[in-house]
Amino acid sequence: MAVTMLQLPLPEAITRAPADELAERITDAKRTLGTRLVILGHHYQRDEVIRHADFRGDSFKLAQAAASRPESEFIVFCGVHFMAESADILSAPHQKVVLPDMNAGCTMADMADITQVEDGWDAITRVIGDDLLPVTYMNSTASLKAFVGERGGAVCTSSNCRAVLEWAWKAKRRVMFFPDQHLGRNTAYRMGVPLDQMQVWDPYEDNGGLSDDAIRGSRLLLWKGHCSVHNRFTPEMVDQRRAQIPGVKVIVHPECRFEVAQKADAIGSTEGILKIIQDSPAGTKWAVGTELNMVLRMARELAATHQVVALDDCFCVCGTMFRIDPPHLLWALEALVEGRIVNRVSVPDRIAGPARIALDRMLSIT
Ligand code: 13P
Ligand code: SF4
């Protein structure tokens, strides 16, 4: 079930403050809190926010960072809700995780409602018995991670999906993959699994929209979920950029559709994209299919050595990531300075326990 979030309105003294004042006050609050505070920032955060982060990275790197700072009493997560939940699960009991805006959710994570997941799982295991292991993408609710942990499965991120799938297929013949069909399909295909051994489970259709024979013949059952940001990229955009920029290389996030990933020169997690571009020879031109804030930042920071452009001029911004802005960050930090915790993300023990097992499995596999 999607998490119910309540975001209080911010005081006018913050919403009306000019940008430079906000930046100064955030820096002051950070200084006052010192090592009691760590700020984690996902690559999709806007520049005015990411500049204050102690760690920048993809979901995997930030999950490791959350687990690596036990001295920090407060973890302020500049990202989305499922990331803050994972940080809470992986951090020590004395640490408190704060999400500056509770409306920063993820539409993909919301596509896998836990009741539908349980119903789907029961229907499939009635057909094929228990020769099935669940794997969930990090971009899922803590309840889904707990479901996976209770059934022997693991979490994966876009940077370790292949390793987790390899591990899962050693244990069982079939894998059920939540909630992003594209990450599952793109990764499995590159591992040599043919498309006809992958089936999409649609939670809104009877029996997932699949015959029992189709379920029996599958190696990978893909939950019908997707990212509304990456779904906007099309194969035609790849052709267009290649025509416009001779010699351009195309790199996309694995949340892009199969036909887009197939046309790309490379795929990678956000951290992977950054590294591949940084490590490419000077002068390489790149068209990048991922969230626009990250692409524009790379374009600016690597301008001396590389040409980086967005895969398309469509405004591919993640609206929920964008909700974290300097006013919300400042509001959360100044509350901590005053001894108040606002927007704490705290996963109940009965969910955090099994979810942690699924996350720890991922961290031990990769
Ligand atoms: P990364 O793990 O690649 O940072 O992806 C997170 C995400 O939300 C992409 O849409
Ligand atoms: Fe979720 Fe897509 Fe935004 Fe990532 S980019 S947080 S998957 S909506």
Side-chain angles (χ1 to χ4, degrees), residues 107-255:
T107 47
M108 175 199 285
D110 291 344
M111 285 177 196
D113 172 87
I114 192 64
T115 310
Q116 288 180 325
V117 166
E118 284 164 354
D119 290 349
W121 181 265
D122 290 348
I124 291 166
T125 50
R126 269 198 293 277
V127 178
I128 54 167
D130 75 346
D131 203 3
L132 179 70
L133 206 68
V135 170
T136 188
Y137 188 22
M138 182 69 107
N139 301 22
S140 57
T141 60
S143 310
L144 179 46
K145 292 185 178 83
F147 172 93
V148 166
E150 279 163 352
R151 286 159 185 78
V155 174
C156 75
T157 69
S158 50
S159 61
N160 59 25
C161 185
R162 184 186 182 112
V164 175
L165 284 178
E166 263 164 16
W167 166 86
W169 272 315
K170 275 187 202 145
K172 301 268 179 165
R173 174 162 172 72
R174 296 180 190 83
V175 170
M176 186 153 189
F177 191 87
F178 307 94
D180 184 20
Q181 56 169 309
H182 301 302
L183 174 65
R185 185 182 295 108
N186 286 328
T187 310
Y189 188 79
R190 284 170 186 234
M191 293 169 73
V193 180
L195 289 179
D196 62 9
Q197 290 182 17
M198 304 182 205
Q199 298 293 344
V200 175
W201 178 269
D202 183 343
Y204 294 97
E205 296 277 346
D206 281 348
N207 211 41
L210 298 175
S211 67
D212 288 355
D213 279 347
I215 295 172
R216 281 190 205 99
S218 66
R219 299 286 318 281
L220 185 62
L221 286 146
L222 299 162
W223 188 261
K224 194 176 180 187
H226 64 268
C227 164
S228 34
V229 178
H230 290 91
N231 216 37
R232 285 191 232 156
F233 294 112
T234 64
E236 292 73 33
M237 292 175 184
V238 178
D239 297 337
Q240 235 168 25
R241 277 293 185 250
R242 291 202 196 279
Q244 282 166 349
I245 311 174
V248 73
K249 281 175 168 284
V250 174
I251 187 164
V252 302
H253 196 277
E255 287 173 17

Side-chain angles (χ1 to χ4, degrees), residues 15 32 43 188 224 267 281 289 350:
T15 53
T32 306
H43 284 304
K224 194 176 180 187
I267 62 175
R350 74 191 155 74

